[in-house]
Structure formats: structure tokens, C-alpha cells
Amino acid sequence: MDSRDNLLQEVIESLGLEIDVRKYNQLQKYVQILLERVSVQRLVGDNTPYLLYHKHIYDSLYLLSLMQLPLFEILDLGTGAGLPGIPLKICLPEHVFFLMDANRARINFLRRVMRELALERLHFLPGRAEEWGQNPDFRERFGVVVSRAVAPAVVLAELALPLCSVGGQVIFYKGPRGNEEMREASKAISICGGSIDSCKQYRLLTGEERCIYIVKKIKNTPPQYPRRVGRPAKQPLRD
Ligand code: SAH
């Protein structure tokens, strides 16, 4: 075992997860690919095995220590270099995942990750959430929408809730300002048909504070949301 094995082992053990050798190797290979790509490291903001495992892989997989994800289609909105979507996909091979990102180069990178890791039941949605959210094939389609480090909660609510099916859930991965952000987002959440269900605060293995907010979709989103590209960020649905 080299030190990278230990890093992953610590993540898996502290989350109380059990994963087989195939998933273990896929997680390692994914981190290896991230480490090889300077542009990706810039996006993720970190470039050491320690930080990739103890911060980003840990954070991505934390959700699995909280809940069992139902076997619905899952969307990662603003996946970037594949966080949290790729680690979750690796650990949930039976689930169908969609990775969405406005940046085509990132989607192309993720197609390569998919090939190299031999991932299945994985689809890509290149483009903006404002546009996918108004596409009848994708609007209110996903039983679970996850999103990490994409936009303030007030903006994300308008991007994510229209893509979530009634009865489904939107999972906001947030940092230390999470509570404040969610307070600010309460009007946008209710306008778009959501209701805050629960919140879990935790620390990464690096010590940083995080929280996961679970928002239930309780009624259909009115047809005017999401508004056109850029509008949710420029004129957030605040009080
Ligand atoms: N979730 C990743 C990436 C965060 S960076 C992580 O945790 O590391 C934010 C990503 O969201 C970028 O790749 C950006 O292209 C994408 N993004 C931002 N606004 C978007 C929108 N409106 N629609 C689709 N993708 C968006």
C-alpha cells in the first residue's frame, strides 16, 4: 500500500462506507486523472493527493453516509471536474447519472474520465441550467439534483428546482455560510416549488466546515422559472 491508498482508506473508513475493489480502484484512478491535469487542478483549486481525497472526495461522498439515494435519475448541476457526480457515480453503479456543465471543455474531460474508468449509466448535459430547465425533456425530470460550489443558494434554487421532479429532492452542498445563504434563498425556494427539509453540518477531514441542505420539491415550478440565461444571478429572487 502506498500513501495514496491510505488517504482513500481513511476517507472510506471515516464515512463508514463499504466499497468493493472495483470502486476503490476507480476512485483512485479518478484522482490520478485530476492530478495529471493542471487546468482541472485550477478549477478544483487544489493539487495534492491529500487535499483531493480528504477534502473533495470526502465531501462528495459524505452524502452517502447521510442517506440512501433512491434509484431515480440523478443530476449533478455544475459538475465542473466531476464533483460530486463522479465519486457518487462510482459508488452507485446502478443509478443513472447526468452531469451538467456550461463549459464544454469540462464535459469533454468528463467523457474521457467515463471511458478510462469504464463507467456506465452516465450521461452528459453540456450547456446552461437556465436552458435545460426550460427543455420539456428535462424539466422536472430528476428525482435527485445535487450541486456543489456552483452559485449562491438563492441563485441555485432557481436553477435546480425546475429540473427536480415533484416529490424529489435538491441537495445543496454548502460551506460555512450555508445557513445564511439558505435564509436568503427561502423566498426563491418557495417560489420555485421547494421546501427546506433538513440540514446536516459536518467537517471535512481537513477540518473545514461544510453543510448539506436537503430541499424537497413539493409542487410544480411556475413556467417562467428558470428565467433566461444570466437573469437568476443578476436579479436573484430575494425578499
Ligand atoms: N461542482 C464542482 C465545480 C464547481 S465550479 C466542484 O464542486 O468542484 C462551478 C461549475 O458550474 C463550473 O464548471 C461552471 O461552468 C458551472 N456552472 C455555473 N453556472 C452554470 C449554469 N448556469 N449552468 C450550468 N453550469 C453552470
Side-chain angles (χ1 to χ4, degrees), residues 68-74 92-97 121 143-144:
Q68 269 198 320
L69 290 178
L71 205 56
F72 295 132
E73 291 181 322
I74 299 175
L92 300 171
E94 302 304 323
H95 288 67
V96 175
F97 273 77
R121 302 188 184 88
V144 178

Side-chain angles (χ1 to χ4, degrees), residues 43 78-80 83 101-103 106 127-130 148-150 159:
L43 172 69
T79 187
L83 298 166
D101 204 283
N103 182 309
R106 287 175 198 150
R128 307 271 312 194
E130 292 93 325
R148 176 179 185 258
V150 172
L159 300 178

Side-chain angles (χ1 to χ4, degrees), residues 34-236:
L34 292 178
L35 285 167
E36 283 163 10
R37 286 281 290 256
V38 176
S39 59
V40 164
Q41 291 166 20
R42 237 182 270 126
L43 172 69
V44 174
D46 290 309
N47 63 357
T48 66
Y50 168 70
L51 288 172
L52 288 173
Y53 282 114
H54 279 200
K55 188 166 161 183
H56 300 283
I57 301 291
Y58 183 89
D59 197 22
S60 297
L61 295 181
Y62 189 83
L63 184 63
L64 300 182
S65 74
L66 273 189
M67 60 191 282
Q68 269 198 320
L69 290 178
L71 205 56
F72 295 132
E73 291 181 322
I74 299 175
L75 170 68
D76 181 8
L77 193 169
T79 187
L83 298 166
I86 294 283
L88 290 175
K89 167 74 261 189
I90 290 171
C91 291
L92 300 171
E94 302 304 323
H95 288 67
V96 175
F97 273 77
F98 286 75
L99 305 183
M100 178 186 292
D101 204 283
N103 182 309
R104 269 176 198 273
R106 287 175 198 150
I107 293 288
N108 289 338
F109 166 77
L110 292 168
R111 289 187 201 280
R112 186 188 135 205
V113 169
M114 179 183 178
R115 273 196 308 277
E116 293 201 13
L117 272 53
L119 296 172
E120 290 171 355
R121 302 188 184 88
L122 177 59
H123 306 277
F124 299 99
L125 298 175
R128 307 271 312 194
E130 292 93 325
E131 289 170 339
W132 288 114
Q134 291 294 356
N135 178 322
D137 289 336
F138 293 92
R139 186 177 178 82
E140 303 203 315
R141 168 165 174 162
F142 298 97
V144 178
V145 179
V146 296
S147 192
R148 176 179 185 258
V150 172
V154 63
V155 178
L156 193 56
E158 183 177 350
L159 300 178
L161 279 161
L163 289 155
C164 182
S165 58
V166 174
Q169 46 201 343
V170 179
I171 293 163
F172 294 65
Y173 283 71
K174 285 289 164 195
R177 281 196 62 249
N179 293 342
E180 225 174 293
E181 276 192 45
M182 294 306 284
R183 260 198 305 280
E184 188 198 37
S186 62
K187 183 178 169 199
I189 290 171
S190 117
I191 289 177
C192 294
S195 164
I196 295 180
D197 183 64
S198 58
C199 148
K200 169 76 184 172
Q201 276 172 304
Y202 58 103
R203 275 183 195 278
L204 303 177
L205 291 179
T206 51
E208 288 150 274
E209 278 178 46
R210 291 291 153 106
C211 62
I212 282 182
Y213 267 88
I214 299 179
V215 173
K216 285 253 162 75
K217 178 83 176 263
I218 53 172
K219 54 182 200 289
N220 294 109
T221 303
Q224 65 268 39
Y225 303 110
R227 290 165 293 164
R228 64 184 165 78
V229 169
R231 190 54 44 134
K234 250 181 245 134
Q235 273 180 4

Side-chain angles (χ1 to χ4, degrees), residues 3-13 19 23-25 27-28 53-54 57 61:
S3 61
R4 291 186 190 188
D5 284 310
N6 288 333
L7 290 171
L8 179 53
Q9 195 68 44
E10 281 162 21
V11 168
I12 299 302
E13 276 172 17
I19 60 169
K23 293 175 186 170
Y24 197 90
N25 290 340
L27 284 168
Q28 279 198 317
Y53 282 114
H54 279 200
I57 301 291
L61 295 181

